[in-house]
Amino acid sequence: TDWISIQRWVNKNTDTSAKFMVPPQESGFRIFSSRPIVGDIKDGAVVIYNIEFAKKWNHIIKYTYNYKQLSEEDFVLLKKKYSYDLLLLRNDQKMNFEKIYENATYTVYKM
């Protein structure tokens, strides 16, 4: 799939320490990319074990839940808040950031 394909490209073509902002409703980016992410919806499963992580995860989801409606300005503000290096978006959500790769469904932008 394009989801796995973009992860494999990331794995082969980005620094292992590069942190990604990914669509939070599309879980599993870490599987084939082997890269850190700001967070996704599945990370919420571990909130039952740690109250501090639960607060952090809730904060991330609060600010990224409407990911498809976020603007360039929103992503810049989120970068300041979460210190990520690369942004992953679906191709129908165009941004004026530096595009470093795209497949049929996803685009990777440098922040």
Side-chain angles (χ1 to χ4, degrees):
T1 67
D2 288 340
W3 183 237
I4 292 172
S5 172
I6 198 80
Q7 292 175 54
R8 289 180 191 232
W9 182 89
V10 162
N11 181 278
K12 291 181 174 130
N13 297 282
T14 64
D15 189 273
T16 57
S17 66
K19 186 176 182 182
F20 281 77
M21 172 65 78
V22 300
Q25 286 80 10
E26 298 184 45
S27 62
F29 184 78
R30 295 179 190 102
I31 295 170
F32 295 103
S33 71
S34 299
R35 298 297 181 271
I37 65 170
V38 172
D40 69 22
I41 200 75
K42 291 275 186 163
D43 290 344
V46 266
V47 300
I48 62 172
Y49 300 109
N50 183 302
I51 189 67
E52 291 308 313
F53 181 80
K55 290 176 186 176
K56 178 183 173 187
W57 177 82
N58 187 56
H59 191 260
I60 291 167
I61 295 304
K62 175 183 172 184
Y63 288 105
T64 62
Y65 189 76
N66 292 321
Y67 199 81
K68 292 179 181 181
Q69 284 76 45
L70 295 177
S71 68
E72 289 178 14
E73 183 179 331
D74 293 327
F75 284 115
V76 169
L77 291 172
L78 288 170
K79 179 177 175 31
K80 290 177 185 175
K81 188 177 297 257
Y82 299 116
S83 301
Y84 62 91
D85 307 294
L86 298 158
L87 172 65
L88 181 71
L89 297 172
R90 287 185 160 267
N91 291 345
D92 60 355
Q93 191 176 5
K94 302 282 187 205
M95 297 288 158
N96 288 315
F97 303 126
E98 180 183 347
K99 184 187 303 186
I100 61 171
Y101 181 76
E102 71 180 322
N103 66 18
T105 307
Y106 299 96
T107 303
V108 177
Y109 293 95
K110 183 176 181 183
M111 294 298 294

